[in-house]
Amino acid sequence: MATASVAFKSREDHRKQIELEEARKAGLAPAEVDEDGKEINPHIPQYMSSAPWYLNAERPSLKHQRKWKSDPNYTKSWYDRGAKIYQADKYRKGACENCGSMTHDAKACMERPRKVGAKWTNKHIAPDEKIETFELDYDGKRDRWNGYDASTYAYVIERYEARDEARRKYLKDQQLKKLEKNNNQNGEAEVSDEDDDEDDLRVDEAKVDESKQMDFAKVEKRVRTTGGGSTGTVRNLRIREDTAKYLLNLDVNSAHYDPKTRSMREDPLPDADPNEKFYGGDNQHRNSGEALEFKQLNIHAWEAFDKGQDIHMQAAPSQAELLYKNYKVIKEKLKSQTKDTILEKYGNAATEEDIPMELLLGQSEREVEYDRAGRIIKGQEKALPRSKYEEDVFINNHTSVWGSWWMDHQWGYKCCKQTIRNSYCTGAAGIEASEAATDLMKANIARKEATEEIPSPVEEKRLATWGTDVPDDLVLDEKLLAEALKKEDGRRREERDERKRKYNVRWNDEVTLEDMEAYRMKKVHHDDPMKDFLH
């Protein structure tokens, strides 16, 4: 609210004023009007809308925010170029010796130096120029367009139009000359040659000049350079007739387009014919051609650097590429050696003779006849191959073998679900007891987690002495320090076992630097994770 001045208000008036301001901001109440009848924006902060007390403003206004101090001598007018004020008939004293004008001297005269000046000839006296002075402000003195007459730009347009008209007229005359020459000559070969020349002379007026066509996508912008930054040129290689990548598929669930980097990694039209597809996403170029090889080269440089080799892709790219080539050669040699070793040991079935069909299909001369129930009537059934280990041997009352059940990365018996080998089978009762024990353990763990209290943070104790921060200038005696360490060990043993305390104990209240250092060295830090290994 644009208040006139700060006055005392009661609590009720202040509350009503705040409610009115909120209503104006919400658009429920009309905006406040200033002295000129203009509405005041209710969203203007109070520190901007309230007038200073020394202005004694009676009505709300924003005049105190405007420039109310204006220079009466300031003007926006400019010099009257070429204006003359007086034409003299004879030379006057103090005038220019060259042209006879009173507004300048011979040193500042802009006319051609005469062989005999107007001071001595008293002829062709130049008129006096109009001299003006202006009081310009800070911006007016630095305005590069101050005094520019916009109407003079019409002369520039007329000059360019006249040039284009002359160019079109010249080309038209050249075409007429070529046509007359073609009518006078006969012969298809000559006519074809002249047609080529005629085509070269045809100029499409709708096209722009070649120099402008080369710079159709020229963008002027600030580019950082080593010299501190200068205006550079960045070319946009996209042709205006091409469809933008984000317009290929207008589905919101299609490939994501990042407007900041102008990148679309995925394919916007994955179901389209690849032969008719012009754009297949940015990843199409990253996963094809030399980009994939460069990616593998970077990965090899990183892995080699992690293994201790002094290699860096950006610092020494030639070295990194040479090492990568050697790595691929050595890898191929190892592959071929491994292949040869395997072929030498097991042979190559692809190069050997074909196996007979009798062996492949398992045919033999043995004949076996079965009835409808599957029983053998004639012949003998083929014996199944048996291993050298005992099979289907059940021990300790088990009804299944060891390894028939798998649970939590452990083998066991399927009949009782036990994971201890050679254990006695407990049957269904054992399974129920195991499940009950598991449920009870899970319940106990959950109850413990629920009732577990958060440990209270340990307050940091800052010692007044040099118990933690040892002064730099501290000098200790090695013998006294060794005696103090022995004395500290004895004191700690007495604290652990009261029976070792002597009957007559005499205390010494004097604490030396060596005693303090021994206490600090033997002190147990409870927050130290290695305390159990040190003491």
Side-chain angles (χ1 to χ4, degrees):
M1 172 184 169
T3 57
S5 61
V6 181
F8 176 76
K9 293 180 182 179
S10 62
R11 181 178 298 177
E12 187 67 20
D13 295 340
H14 185 66
R15 185 181 60 80
K16 291 181 179 179
Q17 183 67 30
I18 294 177
E19 292 178 356
L20 180 59
E21 291 178 0
E22 295 294 335
R24 285 173 177 169
K25 291 180 180 179
L28 303 177
E32 197 172 11
V33 181
D34 59 358
E35 296 177 355
D36 300 332
K38 298 180 181 179
E39 294 183 351
I40 299 176
N41 192 345
H43 297 284
I44 297 178
Q46 186 178 5
Y47 73 91
M48 296 176 60
S49 60
S50 58
W53 59 271
Y54 50 82
L55 293 181
N56 295 325
E58 297 180 356
R59 295 190 59 185
S61 175
L62 293 176
K63 287 186 176 181
H64 59 278
Q65 291 290 345
R66 302 185 182 96
K67 186 178 181 182
W68 53 278
K69 285 186 178 181
S70 60
D71 189 0
N73 299 324
Y74 175 71
T75 178
K76 291 186 178 180
S77 60
W78 199 246
Y79 302 102
D80 192 0
R81 301 177 186 272
K84 311 298 181 182
I85 56 176
Y86 179 70
Q87 176 67 52
D89 296 334
K90 60 181 180 179
Y91 182 78
R92 294 160 292 176
K93 185 180 180 181
C96 177
E97 296 179 355
N98 185 44
C99 64
S101 177
M102 288 290 293
T103 54
H104 62 271
D105 54 1
K107 189 176 182 180
C109 185
M110 300 299 294
E111 285 194 10
R112 177 182 58 84
R114 301 180 184 182
K115 188 175 182 180
V116 181
K119 178 179 179 180
W120 295 277
T121 60
N122 210 10
K123 294 179 181 180
H124 305 292
I125 304 298
D128 299 340
E129 295 94 351
K130 185 179 180 180
I131 304 299
E132 296 176 291
T133 56
F134 299 105
E135 294 291 337
L136 300 177
D137 59 352
Y138 181 86
D139 295 330
K141 291 178 182 179
R142 292 158 178 81
D143 188 4
R144 59 184 300 185
W145 296 101
N146 195 358
Y148 173 74
D149 188 5
S151 60
T152 58
Y153 188 69
Y155 298 107
V156 180
I157 300 298
E158 291 177 0
R159 186 178 63 181
Y160 277 92
E161 288 180 352
R163 188 198 67 173
D164 294 340
E165 183 66 27
R167 183 170 178 268
R168 285 194 293 268
K169 186 177 179 181
Y170 171 76
L171 293 174
K172 190 173 183 181
D173 294 341
Q174 293 291 329
Q175 288 178 355
L176 291 175
K177 289 180 181 180
K178 293 295 180 181
L179 289 175
E180 291 175 358
K181 189 176 180 180
N182 291 334
N183 292 331
N184 297 331
Q185 295 178 356
N186 294 324
E188 296 180 359
E190 295 179 358
V191 172
S192 62
D193 295 340
E194 297 300 332
D195 289 339
D196 296 338
D197 297 337
E198 183 181 352
D199 294 336
D200 296 338
L201 292 173
R202 290 174 184 172
V203 177
D204 189 2
E205 297 180 359
K207 292 183 179 180
V208 296
D209 191 18
E210 291 182 359
S211 61
K212 296 181 181 179
Q213 197 172 19
M214 288 294 291
D215 296 335
F216 73 98
K218 186 177 180 181
V219 181
E220 296 288 346
K221 61 183 290 188
R222 299 291 294 179
V223 180
R224 291 185 179 179
T225 60
T226 56
S230 63
T231 302
T233 303
V234 178
R235 294 188 182 274
N236 184 9
L237 300 180
R238 186 176 72 84
I239 304 175
R240 295 297 177 183
E241 287 77 11
D242 293 344
T243 306
K245 61 177 74 173
Y246 52 84
L247 296 179
L248 295 175
N249 192 352
L250 300 180
D251 187 7
V252 295
N253 297 324
S254 63
H256 172 68
Y257 174 73
D258 186 10
K260 186 175 182 181
T261 57
R262 298 180 182 179
S263 61
M264 182 181 288
R265 302 183 184 279
E266 299 179 3
D267 189 1
L269 300 172
D271 300 331
D273 186 7
N275 297 325
E276 299 178 357
K277 198 161 37 177
F278 176 73
Y279 177 74
D282 296 341
N283 288 337
Q284 179 184 9
H285 306 290
R286 293 176 179 167
N287 298 329
S288 61
E290 295 182 356
L292 194 59
E293 296 180 2
F294 184 73
K295 181 180 178 182
Q296 296 293 336
L297 178 59
N298 279 324
I299 294 175
H300 173 262
W302 296 337
E303 292 179 352
F305 182 78
D306 291 339
K307 293 179 181 179
Q309 293 189 14
D310 189 8
I311 179 175
H312 198 279
M313 183 60 196
Q314 283 71 32
S318 301
Q319 179 190 5
E321 187 173 3
L322 182 60
L323 289 175
Y324 182 58
K325 288 182 179 179
N326 296 336
Y327 165 75
K328 290 195 294 185
V329 171
I330 296 172
K331 186 177 180 181
E332 289 297 329
K333 288 183 179 179
L334 289 176
K335 278 187 178 181
S336 61
Q337 291 178 2
T338 305
K339 182 179 179 181
D340 295 341
T341 304
I342 294 174
L343 292 178
E344 183 180 355
K345 184 175 183 179
Y346 298 101
N348 189 0
T351 59
E352 295 178 356
E353 297 180 357
D354 297 336
I355 300 176
M357 296 300 296
E358 292 80 3
L359 296 179
L360 291 175
L361 300 178
Q363 296 179 356
S364 62
E365 298 296 333
R366 184 170 50 85
E367 182 180 357
V368 181
E369 186 178 351
Y370 298 90
D371 61 359
R372 294 190 178 185
R375 294 185 292 269
I376 299 176
I377 300 176
K378 183 180 179 182
Q380 187 177 3
E381 187 178 5
K382 183 179 179 181
L384 295 176
R386 297 179 63 86
S387 65
K388 63 180 180 179
Y389 303 101
E390 295 181 351
E391 297 183 2
D392 298 334
V393 177
F394 306 119
I395 61 174
N396 296 335
N397 202 24
H398 287 286
T399 58
S400 59
V401 296
W402 169 261
S404 59
W405 186 65
W406 170 264
M407 182 66 177
D408 295 336
H409 303 281
Q410 288 182 341
W411 293 104
Y413 297 97
K414 185 178 179 181
C415 54
C416 58
K417 295 183 180 180
Q418 291 193 59
T419 57
I420 302 175
R421 193 168 186 178
N422 297 328
S423 62
Y424 192 82
C425 182
T426 55
I431 297 175
E432 294 178 358
S434 177
E435 292 178 354
T438 304
D439 296 339
L440 181 61
M441 182 179 64
K442 291 180 179 179
N444 293 335
I445 293 174
R447 184 170 61 255
K448 182 179 180 181
E449 291 178 354
T451 58
E452 186 177 8
E453 295 181 356
I454 301 175
S456 58
V458 180
E459 297 182 356
E460 183 180 0
K461 296 182 180 180
R462 302 183 64 89
L463 300 178
T465 59
W466 55 83
T468 55
D469 297 335
V470 181
D472 295 333
D473 55 349
L474 181 62
V475 179
L476 300 175
D477 190 357
E478 296 292 336
K479 295 182 179 179
L480 296 179
L481 180 60
E483 295 177 0
L485 289 173
K486 292 181 180 179
K487 188 188 299 182
E488 183 66 19
D489 292 334
R491 187 184 66 82
R492 289 181 177 275
R493 286 195 297 271
E494 290 180 359
E495 289 180 356
R496 288 194 296 266
D497 191 0
E498 291 290 335
R499 294 176 296 178
K500 293 184 178 181
R501 185 187 299 272
K502 297 180 180 180
Y503 184 78
N504 295 325
V505 180
R506 291 185 297 177
W507 297 94
N508 187 6
D509 296 331
E510 295 181 0
V511 179
T512 61
L513 298 177
E514 288 76 11
D515 295 340
M516 198 65 199
E517 180 67 15
Y519 171 78
R520 186 188 66 81
M521 294 172 65
K522 294 294 183 178
K523 180 181 178 182
V524 178
H525 297 277
H526 296 280
D527 55 347
D528 187 2
M530 300 294 292
K531 63 177 183 178
D532 296 333
F533 300 92
L534 296 176
H535 300 283

